[in-house]
Amino acid sequence: AGKTTLLRMLAGQLAPREGRRDDTPLTKMSYFAQHAAETLDGTQTVFSAVEEVANDEWRPKLRSMLGSFLFHGDDVFKRCRVLSGGERQRVALARMLLLPTNLLLLDEPTHHLDLAGKDVLEGALEQYPGAIVVVTHDRSLMARVATRVLEVHAGRVMLYPGGYDDYESARLSRTASTTPAPEP
């Protein structure tokens, strides 16, 4: 349906074939690609990977922040190359959340995450003060953080106000009204 393509256009990585994309000077966005974890420098430690992007305000709180991303004790000194896919994903997400932004664009952020990692991400997104656009198939993530749902299907985009449960209810209602009744 082109969801990742749409997100990349919003991020400014792709030019639209038609229409235009306008940047606003007050928008500071960060784009999290599906494979962001694969771009980490394997020679860096978990701590140095997040320290690299942290501003002065965050530096004294990095160990605590890493703890909230499930990196405790000496785990923060592991090299990124020895981390599991889920651990690398958590490091990449932590790095992104340290950037001074007011708009997050997330493409399948729960990819590779276990249940504890998903819970950490969902909690962090609930606390995020800016706007978030997420492309995901993860229903629990949508149910926990979505306040509006854009359905991309068959080349069309449809806005559903309300959370994921509201979307599901409207979608099921729409499907029921277009399904012919069975013949007696």
Side-chain angles (χ1 to χ4, degrees), residues 46-47 62-78 83 87 90-91 116-117 120:
V46 169
F47 188 83
L62 286 180
R63 290 289 297 256
S64 175
M65 188 271 270
L66 284 170
S68 70
F69 275 84
L70 308 178
F71 292 103
H72 304 286
D74 288 342
D75 288 347
V76 301
F77 301 114
K78 286 182 178 178
L83 300 176
E87 290 171 323
R90 290 195 320 262
V91 171
V120 166

Side-chain angles (χ1 to χ4, degrees), residues 13 142 158 169:
Q13 292 186 347
M142 288 188 284
M158 183 172 242
S169 178

Side-chain angles (χ1 to χ4, degrees), residues 44-56 58-60 62 65-66 91 94-95 98:
Q44 286 187 310
T45 64
V46 169
F47 188 83
S48 65
V50 295
E51 184 181 41
E52 177 179 62
V53 298
N55 63 24
D56 290 339
W58 268 106
R59 287 185 195 284
L62 286 180
M65 188 271 270
L66 284 170
V91 171
R95 284 173 52 95
L98 285 170

Side-chain angles (χ1 to χ4, degrees), residues 7 11 13 28-37 39-40 44 46-55 58 62 65-66 69 71 87-110 113 117 120-135 141 145:
L7 208 58
Q13 292 186 347
K28 304 290 183 234
M29 74 177 78
S30 185
Y31 173 62
F32 186 83
Q34 284 185 42
H35 306 292
T39 65
L40 292 174
Q44 286 187 310
V46 169
F47 188 83
S48 65
V50 295
E51 184 181 41
E52 177 179 62
V53 298
N55 63 24
W58 268 106
L62 286 180
M65 188 271 270
L66 284 170
F69 275 84
F71 292 103
E87 290 171 323
R88 291 173 66 87
Q89 192 83 335
R90 290 195 320 262
V91 171
L93 287 164
R95 284 173 52 95
M96 181 202 57
L97 290 171
L98 285 170
L99 299 172
T101 63
N102 55 17
L103 173 60
L104 298 179
L105 304 173
L106 308 173
D107 194 359
E108 296 292 351
T110 59
L113 293 181
V120 166
L121 172 64
E122 290 171 2
L125 294 179
E126 284 177 323
Q127 299 299 314
Y128 183 72
I132 305 167
V133 177
V134 183
V135 168
L141 174 66
V145 301

